[in-house]
Amino acid sequence: MKNRRIFLKSVALASAGLAVSSPSNVFGAIGDEAPFTLPNLLFATDALEPFIDKMTMEIHHGKHHKAYIDNLNKAVLTNDLAKGKTLDQLFGITGQLPPLIRNNAGGHFNHSLFWTLLSPAIGQVPGPKFSELIAKSYGSFDKFKEEFAKTAMQRFGSGWAWAVLADGKLSICSTPNQDNPLMDVADTKGFPVLALDVWEHAYYLKYQNLRADYVKSFWNIINWETVEARIIEHQKAKH
Ligand code: MN3
């Protein structure tokens, strides 16, 4: 039984594209009563200072993300369609799910991914795979940054900005609320390789209404190793 659980966990991780750099406990076993658990951060809550402050990280991870998980675990128990499914399976039928499950399943996945995409600012640069993809689709890294920032700024209210891979091409999109490009309901579908949370709870304590400053600071704390690993993982899965 234990082995089966471990196996199911790794299947769930691989299919949701989080296997590369996540601790093994992000998703629970199918059939567990409370299958989803809060992943540990891979860095200290003050490690992203001065770009993201300690208190924002503590509340964002320990309160907001945890609440999505707690609400999701409760909600799936009373929904026959959602019960026992992995996040990946839920994203395949999001259009048939109640908003409570859609929002909290998205919230859990999006934040689990987001934490792995952040890293203390120590001069990381984009890897060769990512650089090749942006050269093809955007010409230069500066142009990509400009387009990504524009998309993040144009998301009205709460949501996310994404860079996704689809048909071997990189593109930029955004989603409202806690939707993501893996969901059947997404306008632009694809495999997310970069994500930015533009909900006010992600930046308001430090940046208040200045979302543009928060978006600008993001470039200092991207874990490009994770981005590169996700591209390689996705390209492997396609061949
Ligand atoms: Mn958030």
Side-chain angles (χ1 to χ4, degrees):
M1 187 60 198
K2 185 130 192 290
N3 282 344
R4 181 168 157 74
R5 285 196 177 185
I6 290 166
F7 170 73
L8 288 169
K9 273 186 195 183
S10 52
V11 168
L13 280 164
S15 59
L18 276 171
V20 173
S21 49
S22 297
S24 60
N25 64 340
V26 178
F27 307 105
I30 291 165
D32 277 359
E33 279 200 3
F36 303 108
T37 56
L38 186 67
N40 292 325
L41 292 173
L42 303 174
F43 46 82
T45 49
D46 62 356
L48 306 178
E49 299 257 15
F51 303 106
I52 298 180
D53 60 287
K54 184 179 199 288
M55 188 182 275
T56 295
M57 277 309 304
E58 284 174 359
I59 296 171
H60 202 177
H61 175 256
K63 307 283 185 199
H64 288 282
H65 189 176
K66 185 171 186 302
Y68 295 123
I69 295 166
D70 292 345
N71 291 332
L72 177 62
N73 283 335
K74 251 183 268 166
V76 294
L77 286 182
T78 56
N79 184 293
D80 287 340
L81 197 56
K83 201 173 180 175
K85 289 207 166 57
T86 63
L87 286 178
D88 201 45
Q89 289 168 337
L90 292 177
F91 296 154
I93 55 165
T94 303
Q96 303 166 58
L97 296 171
L100 185 67
I101 294 179
R102 172 175 175 166
N103 293 335
N104 288 294
H108 178 32
F109 174 83
N110 298 351
H111 289 86
S112 299
L113 172 62
F114 188 44
W115 310 138
T116 70
L117 290 166
L118 299 175
S119 157
I122 45 167
Q124 306 94 325
V125 290
K129 294 269 184 194
F130 184 80
S131 299
E132 196 186 312
L133 287 164
I134 49 173
K136 251 190 256 166
S137 295
Y138 297 93
S140 69
F141 185 42
D142 281 346
K143 186 72 190 153
F144 169 83
K145 280 162 71 174
E146 192 186 314
E147 289 294 319
F148 190 91
K150 206 199 299 174
T151 302
M153 291 306 293
Q154 283 171 349
R155 167 51 53 195
F156 185 77
S158 298
W160 290 74
W162 307 90
V164 299
L165 271 177
D167 302 323
K169 269 192 70 182
L170 191 75
S171 60
I172 293 167
C173 62
S174 84
T175 54
N177 306 311
Q178 294 295 355
D179 284 2
N180 67 51
L182 294 169
M183 290 179 174
D184 62 347
V185 294
D187 290 336
T188 304
K189 291 181 194 61
F191 182 83
V193 298
L194 189 64
L196 179 61
D197 188 344
V198 293
W199 281 58
E200 284 186 347
H201 70 223
Y203 63 87
Y204 208 84
L205 289 180
K206 185 177 173 69
Y207 296 93
Q208 291 83 49
N209 58 323
L210 305 176
R211 187 191 285 186
D213 288 354
Y214 162 71
V215 173
K216 207 171 156 194
S217 73
F218 178 53
W219 304 112
N220 296 293
I221 47 168
I222 293 174
N223 188 334
W224 290 109
E225 271 182 30
T226 301
V227 175
E228 199 72 0
R230 289 184 67 78
I231 294 168
I232 292 166
E233 178 199 347
H234 184 67
Q235 289 177 342
K236 258 193 216 151
K238 289 284 151 198
H239 291 115

